[in-house]
């Protein structure tokens, strides 16, 4: 190698993969680059290709990692959406179950109330029937005599709105028939006309028929029927049997 020959070799690889550069600076009279220098330049160029490959590999790895992260995130979102949907379905089912339970409870309460009302009505009817039976069992009885006939007649008169008192009935009965239910007058004007007065209050047949009180016998000699018909007639003509003090 010549004495004054100076060689300077510069090799570099650009960060973005630029080709390696080699420079040799020699005097004008010096020889050109040696074989060894050419080999060195070739090696630098090969090294730059390796840098490119490494950069591409890293980029690919980063891209793959990003895709993987996106996939994981999407999977998480899908799982969350499925969980939310499941939770909503469970809540809906629970609400439907609660509504059905309330409806069933309401129906049961209504049925219970209806049954209670029916039972109450039945009990009331039963009590009414018992009261009627008791009332029937304690039906008022009357003695079969003048006192009993007057008292029974007074009860009938009261139920029909016919005025009169025990004293008014008794005094007129004693004057007309002396308390004999079979008494008959065969000598007065009525007898002469063929319609004699009969019974306790000496009522003629047409008057008895006209003032007969429903619920009593149609027999003019029946004590109660005779008294109530005569009291009905007296009430219509005199205002009350109590106002009669003589034959009527």
């Amino acid at each position: 190698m010549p004495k004054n020959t100076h060689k300077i070799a510069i090799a570099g690889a650009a960060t973005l993969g630029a080709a390696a550069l080699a420079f040799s600076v020699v005097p004008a009279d010096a020889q050109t680059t040696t074989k060894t220098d050419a080999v060195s330049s070739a090696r630098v160029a090969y090294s730059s290709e390796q840098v490119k490959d490494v950069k591409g590999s890293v980029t690919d790895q980063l891209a793959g990692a990003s895709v993987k992260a996106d996939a994981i995130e999407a999977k998480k979102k899908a799982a969350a959406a499925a969980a939310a949907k499941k939770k909503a379905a469970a809540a809906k089912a629970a609400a439907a179950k609660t509504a059905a339970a309330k409806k069933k409870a309401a129906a049961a309460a209504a049925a219970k109330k209806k049954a209670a009302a029916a039972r109450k009505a039945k009990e009331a009817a039963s009590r009414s029937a018992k009261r009627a039976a008791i009332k029937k069992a304690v039906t008022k009885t009357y003695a079969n005599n003048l006192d009993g006939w007057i008292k029974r007649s007074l009860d009938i008169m009261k139920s029909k709105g016919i005025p009169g008192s025990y004293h008014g009935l008794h005094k007129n009965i004693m004057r007309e028939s002396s308390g004999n239910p079979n008494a008959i007058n065969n000598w007065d004007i009525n007898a002469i006309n063929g319609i004699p007065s009969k019974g306790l209050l000496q009522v003629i047949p047409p008057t008895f028929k006209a003032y007969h009180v429903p619920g009593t016998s149609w027999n003019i000699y029946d004590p109660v029927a005779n008294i109530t018909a005569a009291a009905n007639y007296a009430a219509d003509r005199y205002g009350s049997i109590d106002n009669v003090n003589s034959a009527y």
Side-chain angles (χ1 to χ4, degrees):
M1 183 179 296
K3 183 178 180 180
N4 297 325
T5 302
H6 297 280
K7 295 181 181 179
I8 300 174
I10 299 174
T15 305
L16 299 176
L21 300 176
F23 297 92
S24 296
V25 181
V26 294
D29 58 346
Q31 294 180 0
T32 59
T33 304
T34 64
K35 185 177 180 180
T36 301
D37 294 333
V39 171
S40 176
S41 297
R43 287 178 179 175
V44 170
Y46 179 76
S47 177
S48 69
E49 291 298 324
Q50 285 185 324
V51 171
K52 283 184 178 182
D53 291 342
V54 170
K55 182 179 179 182
S57 177
V58 171
T59 302
D60 291 342
Q61 288 178 6
L62 290 174
S66 178
V67 170
K68 187 175 181 181
D70 290 343
I72 292 172
E73 185 64 24
K75 189 174 181 180
K76 286 182 178 180
K77 287 182 178 180
K85 186 176 181 180
K86 185 176 180 180
K87 185 177 180 181
K92 186 177 181 181
K97 187 176 181 181
T98 300
K102 286 182 178 180
K103 186 176 181 181
K104 186 177 180 180
K112 186 177 180 181
K113 186 176 181 181
K114 185 177 181 180
R119 183 172 61 254
K120 188 175 181 180
K122 187 176 180 180
E123 290 173 352
S126 178
R127 287 193 297 269
S128 179
K130 287 180 180 179
R131 284 194 298 268
I134 293 172
K135 186 176 180 180
K136 185 177 181 180
V138 295
T139 300
K140 192 173 182 179
T141 57
Y142 306 91
N144 189 26
N145 54 32
L146 182 59
D147 178 71
W149 300 332
I150 293 175
K151 289 179 178 178
R152 186 177 178 187
S153 295
L154 284 170
D155 286 340
I156 295 174
M157 290 163 58
K158 183 178 180 180
S159 69
K160 302 297 183 179
I162 301 171
S165 67
Y166 186 98
H167 174 72
L169 290 174
H170 187 270
K171 71 175 184 179
N172 280 288
I173 288 172
M174 295 309 293
R175 185 185 65 251
E176 295 292 337
S177 65
S178 299
N180 179 11
N182 296 314
I184 182 172
N185 187 328
N186 290 316
W187 54 268
D188 65 4
I189 187 63
N190 291 319
I192 294 172
N193 292 330
I195 48 172
S197 301
K198 301 176 180 179
L200 289 174
L201 283 171
Q202 292 293 285
V203 184
I204 60 175
T207 300
F208 177 79
K209 184 177 180 180
Y211 289 92
H212 173 264
V213 176
T216 63
S217 172
W218 280 96
N219 182 359
I220 195 171
Y221 290 106
D222 179 87
V224 175
N226 189 279
I227 292 172
T228 52
N232 194 24
Y233 165 73
D236 183 48
R237 186 165 183 179
Y238 303 104
S240 171
I241 191 68
D242 294 346
N243 297 329
V244 178
N245 297 302
S246 61
Y248 58 101

